[in-house]
Amino acid sequence: MTTFAERLIEVAIAEDALGVHEVGSNRGARVEEYQRIVGLPAGAPWCAAFVAWCAARAAGTDKPPRWCSGSAITSWHKATRKAAVVRTTPMDADYLDRVRAGMVWVRAKDAAGAKAARAGTWLQGHIGIVVAVDEVGWHTVEGNTNAAGSREGDGVYRKTHKWSNAAQLARTIGWFEPPAV
């Protein structure tokens, strides 16, 4: 039997393999399917909706888990306020040992935003599903990004984030193990 994290990874990788791209700005049949699952209108930023859609499919339902939202930061706050949720941030001395495939990664626009979000402030951010972790970094599948890594992109992409990239780590809010409900 596979775990929720394993199914989440499988769903995310399958979506990446489809080559999902926007048709227009934040639009397209598959993009709008992601947006609908969290009640976002067509044309809205959709990175968190992509994660919610993948989580719903991994849970075997048409409704996303309660921690899901149309907002990356709201998803972080909702999920990590639960005592049982495993989470880590770049501020934790052992974070390199704690990040693993199946976690959800959340980042802010900059280091100040990441610090504020970890303290409970809402702001715009970006979110993706960790599909692998190795000595180079953490590898994700993300919606509403592009080859350059923009949070306002044009499709679903597989991305590599290097442990050695200090700027990337500074704007990382953290990683959490998503509950299936």
Side-chain angles (χ1 to χ4, degrees):
M1 180 172 205
T2 59
T3 67
F4 176 72
E6 290 167 332
R7 290 189 308 274
L8 183 61
I9 292 166
E10 289 171 3
V11 171
I13 289 172
E15 287 301 291
D16 175 54
L18 287 176
V20 175
H21 283 87
E22 294 176 357
V23 178
S25 180
N26 292 327
R27 294 182 179 270
R30 191 60 153 207
V31 170
E32 291 170 23
E33 190 175 324
Y34 303 147
Q35 292 163 326
R36 275 193 301 276
I37 203 160
V38 290
L40 289 176
W46 53 277
C47 63
F50 170 75
V51 171
W53 187 93
C54 290
R57 294 306 176 271
T61 180
D62 290 332
K63 185 177 177 187
R66 289 187 297 271
W67 58 267
C68 291
S69 165
S71 157
I73 306 305
T74 301
S75 294
W76 167 263
H77 291 312
K78 287 171 80 172
T80 61
R81 286 190 179 133
K82 299 177 187 305
V85 170
V86 174
R87 71 179 182 98
T88 191
T89 75
M91 310 287 72
D92 299 329
D94 64 345
Y95 77 91
L96 286 172
D97 297 325
R98 296 178 64 195
V99 177
R100 58 186 169 271
M103 290 183 122
V104 172
W105 166 69
V106 185
R107 75 160 167 83
K109 182 174 75 172
D110 55 32
K115 182 178 179 181
R118 285 191 294 270
T121 300
W122 187 91
L123 47 87
Q124 288 185 332
H126 186 68
I127 191 168
I129 299 165
V130 179
V131 297
V133 177
D134 59 23
E135 64 282 347
V136 172
W138 67 102
H139 308 271
T140 57
V141 174
E142 304 168 27
N144 202 25
T145 192
N146 59 23
S150 171
R151 65 171 288 281
E152 192 52 53
D154 63 3
V156 174
Y157 289 83
R158 199 163 184 167
K159 309 294 293 180
T160 295
H161 305 282
K162 296 181 179 181
W163 300 120
S164 60
N165 185 333
Q168 181 74 295
L169 283 171
R171 63 187 190 161
T172 292
I173 297 163
W175 302 263
F176 68 89
E177 197 170 272
V181 293

